[in-house]
Each structure stands twice: as structure tokens, then as C-alpha cells.
Amino acid sequence: MILTLDTLPEANFREGLAEAVKHAAIVDAAYGEWILAHAGAIATRDTATMTQLVRRSVECKAAIVIEDERESGRRAILNAGHTVAHALESATDFALAHGEAVGIGLVLETRVAEAMGVCRPGSADQVARLLSGLHLPVTLPPGLDRARCLSAMQVDKKNRGGVIRAALLASFGVIARDGDEWTHPLDVEKLKSML
Ligand SMILES: [Zn+2]
């Protein structure tokens, strides 16, 4: 994987970075600090730095998937940011790349979580700072069709009984639990007010 990084198109490269930010945000705050400290080397695709980044992201993901066997449903946290991301991709006819959509989705879902009282204030700004450091967008694309965005969310696969559930942060690096669940019902009214 590392050997092909030099030839990876910019869009795919940035997509990988957005997923790395997501991994840091859901389980590894120290990884987030590391990404921020190495943003310059990451932008130039420095081989040693990228090797570490890919390894750490793979470790995060593996730990989550392995834990899923004990704590059923934990792998749902890998969908953090994706409820909004999928809606943004759909509402923009995929003009927005997946990685860009995931980054924006993570910021927006974290802002909603803060407004819901689920997440420590300032966490969304932490996510945004990290994404900005990697030159990834953190705000909604101009001219976004908000109605399309919302209707796309209604068919998201995490819906149960008409309720949109999403993996939300409790703080940067920590997922908020809802009893035994790894996802929370998303406050759609609060989300609408932010779109
Ligand atoms: Zn993704």
C-alpha cells in the first residue's frame, strides 16, 4: 500500500486522510495529536510518515473490529460522520468526494452531538482543526440542496423505526454510548438548523 501512495490520485489520498482523522476522532485522541504534528510531512506524502499513518489507522480499525465480537455492534462507530457524508454525496450527485464528505460529516455530526449535550463542547472544532491542517474542507459546499440532503438521510442504513441513529463523539477520541448501544438517535431538528 505504501509503495503505491506516490501514484495515488489526490482525491483518493485525501479520502484516506479523512478516514484517518475519523479513526483518531472515534478511538485515539493521541493519534489526532500525532496527525496534527505531522500534517506537513503527510501533505508531501513522506514515506516514513505515511507508513506510520497507515499502520496506526489499520491498528485502530482492527481493534474496533476485533472488539466487536465482545461488544456487539461496536463496529458501527466506523460509520461516524457517514450519516451526513452519504447524504452530502447523494445531494451533490457525488461532486463531493467521499473523503471530503466524511470530514464535513464528522464535523457536522459532532456539532449536533454538542448541541444535544452528548459531546463535550469544542470537540467539533478539534475535528475541524485536524481536517483543515490536512487541507480537507470542514464546511458545507455552497449551493447545497438542503431538502435533498435531508431526504437522503431518511433512507440511511442505520435508520431503525424512522429514527436516524449515528455514532457520535463524547469528546475527541471517545465515542458516546447510549446504554448498550454504540449509536445515538440523531436530533434531526438540530441537524436541520445547521444545514
Ligand atoms: Zn468512508
Side-chain angles (χ1 to χ4, degrees):
M1 183 170 183
I2 303 302
L3 292 174
T4 62
L5 273 173
D6 282 342
T7 53
L8 203 60
E10 185 66 20
N12 299 54
F13 177 68
R14 286 151 67 87
E15 176 172 332
L17 295 186
E19 300 284 350
V21 170
K22 181 195 73 183
H23 291 139
I26 60 177
V27 289
D28 194 346
Y31 181 29
E33 295 291 323
W34 182 89
I35 291 173
L36 204 52
H38 294 82
I42 292 167
T44 60
R45 306 192 191 189
D46 171 70
T47 305
T49 307
M50 290 311 298
T51 304
Q52 277 182 276
L53 182 135
V54 171
R55 182 188 300 136
R56 202 137 167 193
S57 265
V58 168
E59 283 169 359
C60 282
K61 192 167 178 179
I64 291 162
V65 172
I66 289 164
E67 278 294 306
D68 192 62
E69 316 218 321
R70 254 184 346 114
E71 301 177 286
S72 174
R74 189 168 188 249
R75 71 172 69 204
I77 72 174
L78 289 166
N79 285 324
H82 281 65
T83 300
V84 168
H86 290 149
L88 289 177
E89 287 177 287
S90 168
T92 60
D93 292 316
F94 296 88
L96 202 62
H98 182 65
E100 295 175 326
V102 167
I104 297 167
L106 200 55
V107 172
L108 201 56
E109 287 180 26
T110 305
R111 290 210 195 288
V112 174
E114 287 181 17
M116 288 168 62
V118 165
C119 181
R120 184 197 294 165
S123 305
D125 285 343
Q126 274 181 278
V127 176
R129 212 173 302 133
L130 206 48
L131 291 165
S132 297
L134 298 172
H135 310 290
L136 285 161
V138 295
T139 52
L140 294 166
L144 177 74
D145 186 334
R146 286 157 171 76
R148 258 187 88 185
C149 197
L150 278 167
S151 62
M153 252 175 257
Q154 306 297 338
V155 297
D156 188 274
K157 64 182 174 186
K158 289 176 291 302
N159 289 6
R160 275 185 261 159
V163 177
I164 299 175
R165 296 192 68 97
L168 302 175
L169 304 190
S171 62
F172 189 91
V174 182
I175 281 287
R177 299 296 304 268
D178 180 23
D180 288 340
E181 302 271 1
W182 290 95
T183 57
H184 271 266
L186 199 62
D187 188 325
V188 177
E189 290 309 311
K190 286 197 166 59
L191 179 60
K192 273 185 190 170
S193 73
M194 293 180 197
L195 278 177

